[in-house]
Amino acid sequence: MSDDAQHGAPTRADYEVKKGEVSLAVYRKRLPPAAGEAPRPVLFLVHGSSNSALSSFDLTVPEAGEYSTMNVFARLGYDVWTMDHENYGRSSSTDGNSDIASGVADLIAATELVIRETGQERLHFMGESSGALRAAAFAMARPERVGRIVLNAFTYTGRNSPTLAKRAEQVESFRTHNRRLRDRAMIRSIFTRDHPGTSDPRVAEALADAELVHGEEVPTGTYLDMTANLPVVDPLQVQAPVMLVRGEHDGIASEEDLLDFFGKLPNPDRQFVVLPGAAHALVFGHNRHQLWHVVHAFLGMPPRRDL
């Protein structure tokens, strides 16, 4: 690929897939392919509990620099995909609570489309927060579709998590209600609850502007799973190479809890990274460039020779 193409503008294509009667919005970004070009590696991005796909991974923050993970990895030569899970963004609104199991079913449907469109049998994944739980649970369910997997802001058992302890105070509401309030104040709190100053305040406003067009409520399923049903991922069943990325100030998972998960992963081609100066919202932080760097390095790393 030429230098000009490497620095060109990625183009977006929008798709729709069905999960039974549910319509799921799927998005793709890549640099325009050259004639005869070999298929590019696929990176599938999985969003978390409070925001949909495009606001999570293709956000524009005016006069604040690049915040689109999709743009970054498209320019690095990846074929980048993401999706709105059921009850998020442009996907169908249903009576369900969109828990982790529902997210796995979403990913099964979406990856069938990606495999058809790209011809690639194995895809790389990066999940953020509960999106990391979705991605890891998908890796258990469909190991044959997973190349490498990056788990950002992941939580295993939730042990010693101040964020989840606070969230658990509302667990009965999560059990009895399939929606929770996610207004501008809540979106702002994502950026301040762990360690203020780890992100640009303009990001929270841009994120809220992008998300609130979809309403002020989001599903409770992932919150219920993370407060009442952990662990939802068995590390012994995740066969792919895994990189765990934790922000230094992330209150949703202790380093000890993640190291416990990491030590049980069966594939020795694995990495554990702590990003200094970062909090829970890794893709939106001042140090997001470090995240992009370590993810790119991990995805492009050749397999260990002793495997």
Side-chain angles (χ1 to χ4, degrees), residues 1-2 5-13 27-34 37-45 68-82 114 118 120 122-126 147-150 243 291-302:
M1 191 178 303
S2 70
Q6 286 276 12
H7 295 91
T11 59
R12 196 181 96 195
Y27 311 98
R28 178 187 199 180
K29 265 198 164 182
R30 57 178 174 162
L31 294 176
E37 178 185 310
R40 298 171 189 168
V42 174
L43 175 60
F44 199 107
L45 306 171
S68 170
T69 300
M70 296 187 82
N71 283 347
V72 168
F73 280 88
R75 290 187 178 114
L76 287 170
Y78 292 86
D79 193 345
V80 187
W81 295 73
T82 189
V114 176
T118 66
Q120 300 280 57
R122 287 185 181 268
L123 324 175
H124 299 314
F125 289 82
M126 184 176 83
R148 288 175 174 252
I149 183 168
V150 178
M243 182 167 71
L291 172 67
W292 296 334
H293 173 77
V294 297
V295 171
H296 180 44
F298 177 71
L299 297 182
M301 188 172 295

Side-chain angles (χ1 to χ4, degrees), residues 5-6 56 95 139 184 212 217 236 254 264 276 284:
Q6 286 276 12
S56 296
D95 293 331
R184 186 173 293 269
L212 294 178
E217 292 185 330
L236 296 174
S254 67
K264 295 175 180 176
F284 297 130

Side-chain angles (χ1 to χ4, degrees), residues 80-94:
V80 187
W81 295 73
T82 189
M83 70 177 303
D84 291 329
H85 287 282
E86 180 180 341
N87 290 310
Y88 289 89
R90 300 178 186 175
S91 289
S92 291
S93 296
T94 71

Side-chain angles (χ1 to χ4, degrees), residues 5-18:
Q6 286 276 12
H7 295 91
T11 59
R12 196 181 96 195
D14 297 354
Y15 301 79
E16 181 183 281
V17 295
K18 289 287 190 177

